[in-house]
């Protein structure tokens, strides 16, 4: 870390705003002295924070971006990577009395902003500059979706999807998106789960119903139990001792990272998405894609973010220019310009608080926190996905969640079993799917 600047602050009123690395990594502001959220375990750090980032306990850390409101009426300081799409240095702020001391692991720029709307306004104006310098077009509006995850989780069946299709009736749902559960294993995207009889036929029925078809994948994850791990050990990103780099642990197995720079792995990825395109799928939720940007030894000697960006371009080529691409579990800044929409938060869940107290894990607390803090990104980098509407009885604080989605939802999705909705749930789902979406949530 190298020194960047020091600025005077009012320690009673200042706010330091951290930007987390990927969709699920907490992003929020802190008063000096209040402890920042940090991962509960190493598995969480790898899978939901930033694997390589181990900030000292006493610092605030933004990944490629941090903002300081000095609290004394002076300008908000936005300190950001000089090349945020290609390089995401850690940027640390430590507080020494009435001074904020900033250091960074790479080249950064400082933007002093005295405009309206505080930190969010300053971040919005920084994002405008980034978007303009990259020549980004205005993002394409998102279709509305129905997603299988938040009712059925990995236990989803073909008949669950069929029965919801039959109940969609007049709900304004463009895309029916089948989430995790149709596939045999993590990495084996073209092998059906034993619980599914005919995956392409299911997508054909979705299309026949007059809606579009969407699918979930985790393109850069390889589960230890998968066929792809057994048959292609040379496709895994490696540590320098030869062991596979850990991409975390989930689905009761260790997870590895696919080396998308290996020609065989790249061809496999292309085949998977060209096959889905052939099935008529034109909406893709690509998840856990932080795994494509982990440090490690790859077939091609390129830096992890370059490998990640190349891999997203490869996926885009295979799905087609018109397909809608939603990133999830995704490094935020390195995805700019490569996705149509972006999950900006941890998962919503029936419970407000997350398991093991880790705010990156499913729960309304973390989901809402990030949806607010990353509001400035919407309409500038992509369409913000705050995560799905869940409106059935039994969802803790469902009214608060509905209000959050209404305020900060760029992509609108329903993820209840539609037979589970009471009158309030159905009315709310209908309303949230029908609302016009503002171009920006935070004005410039
Ligand atoms: C499918 C789900 C849904 C959901 C995604 C993502 O760190 N974790 O263990 C962890 C597990 C699941 C998860 C996020 C984090 O959810 O956000 O919408 O698609 O995968 O498995």
């Amino acid at each position: 870390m190298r020194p960047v600047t020091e600025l005077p602050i009012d320690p009673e009123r200042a706010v330091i705003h951290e930007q987390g690395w990927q969709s699920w990594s907490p992003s929020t502001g802190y008063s000096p002295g209040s402890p920042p959220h940090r991962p509960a375990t190493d598995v969480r750090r790898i899978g939901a924070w930033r694997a390589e980032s181990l900030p000292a306990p006493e610092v605030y850390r933004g990944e490629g971006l941090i903002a300081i409101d000095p609290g004394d009426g002076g300008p908000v300081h936005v300190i950001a990577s000089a090349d945020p799409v290609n390089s995401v240095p850690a940027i640390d702020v430590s507080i020494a009395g009435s001074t904020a001391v900033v250091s960074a692991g790479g080249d950064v720029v400082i933007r002093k902003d005295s405009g309206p709307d505080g930190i969010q306004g300053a971040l919005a104006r920084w994002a405008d500059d980034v978007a303009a310098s990259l020549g980004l077009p205005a993002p394409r509006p998102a279709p509305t979706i129905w997603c299988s995850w938040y009712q059925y989780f990995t236990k989803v069946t073909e008949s669950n999807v069929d029965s919801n299709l039959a109940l969609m009736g007049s709900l304004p749902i463009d895309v029916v998106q089948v989430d995790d559960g149709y596939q045999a294993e993590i990495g084996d995207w073209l092998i059906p789960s034993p619980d599914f009889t005919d995956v392409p036929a299911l997508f054909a029925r979705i299309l026949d119903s007059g809606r579009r078809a969407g699918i979930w994948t985790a393109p850069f994850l390889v589960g230890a139990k998968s066929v792809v791990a057994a048959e292609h050990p040379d496709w895994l990103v490696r540590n320098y001792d030869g062991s596979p780099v850990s991409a975390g642990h989930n689905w009761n197995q260790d997870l590895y990272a696919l080396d998308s720079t290996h020609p065989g792995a790249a061809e496999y990825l292309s085949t998977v998405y060209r096959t889905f395109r052939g099935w008529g799928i034109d909406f893709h939720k690509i998840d856990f894609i932080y795994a494509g940007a982990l440090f490690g030894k790859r077939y091609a000697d390129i830096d992890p973010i370059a490998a990640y960006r190349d891999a997203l371009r490869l996926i885009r080529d295979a799905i087609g220019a018109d397909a809608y691409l939603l990133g999830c579990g995704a490094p935020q800044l390195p995805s700019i310009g490569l996705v149509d929409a972006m999950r900006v938060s941890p998962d919503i869940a029936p419970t407000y608080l997350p398991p093991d107290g880790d705010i990156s894990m499913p729960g309304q607390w973390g989901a809402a926190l990030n949806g607010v803090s990353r509001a400035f990104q919407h309409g500038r980098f992509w369409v913000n996905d705050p995560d799905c509407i869940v409106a059935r009885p039994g969802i803790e604080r469902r009214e608060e969640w509905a209000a959050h989605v209404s305020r900060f939802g760029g992509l609108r999705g329903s993820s209840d079993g539609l037979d589970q909705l009471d009158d309030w749930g159905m009315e709310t789902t209908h309303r949230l799917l029908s609302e016009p979406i503002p171009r920006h949530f935070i004005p410039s």
Side-chain angles (χ1 to χ4, degrees), residues 24 149-150 179-180 216 250 285 287-288 343 347 361:
W24 308 320
W149 181 249
Y150 297 95
D179 213 280
D180 185 5
W216 172 94
N250 194 4
K285 175 180 178 182
D287 202 356
F288 293 83
R343 255 290 282 293
D347 292 12
M361 289 294 104

Side-chain angles (χ1 to χ4, degrees), residues 9 19 59 62 78 98 121 128-130 167 192 215 228 260 268 271 278 331 335 390 409 414 420 427 438:
I9 58 160
Q19 166 81 327
V59 304
V78 175
S98 325
D128 280 334
D129 287 356
V130 171
L167 289 172
I215 198 166
V228 69
S260 55
Y268 172 66
T271 300
S335 301
V390 280
S414 158
Q420 301 298 301
E427 182 278 316

Side-chain angles (χ1 to χ4, degrees), residues 117 120 368 371-372 375-376 378 384 386 399-410 412 431-432 435-438 440-443:
D117 299 316
Q120 280 292 311
V372 173
F376 74 93
H378 172 72
N384 271 14
E399 297 84 358
E400 279 171 57
W401 182 244
H404 174 78
V405 172
S406 179
R407 173 75 182 83
F408 293 110
R412 302 289 174 100
R431 176 172 55 81
L432 293 178
E435 283 175 345
I437 313 288
H440 291 137
F441 299 138
I442 309 294

Side-chain angles (χ1 to χ4, degrees), residues 419-440:
D419 61 349
Q420 301 298 301
L421 292 174
D422 58 1
D423 288 349
W424 183 90
M426 185 55 87
E427 182 278 316
T428 300
T429 299
H430 199 289
R431 176 172 55 81
L432 293 178
L433 291 174
S434 309
E435 283 175 345
I437 313 288
R439 163 124 197 260
H440 291 137

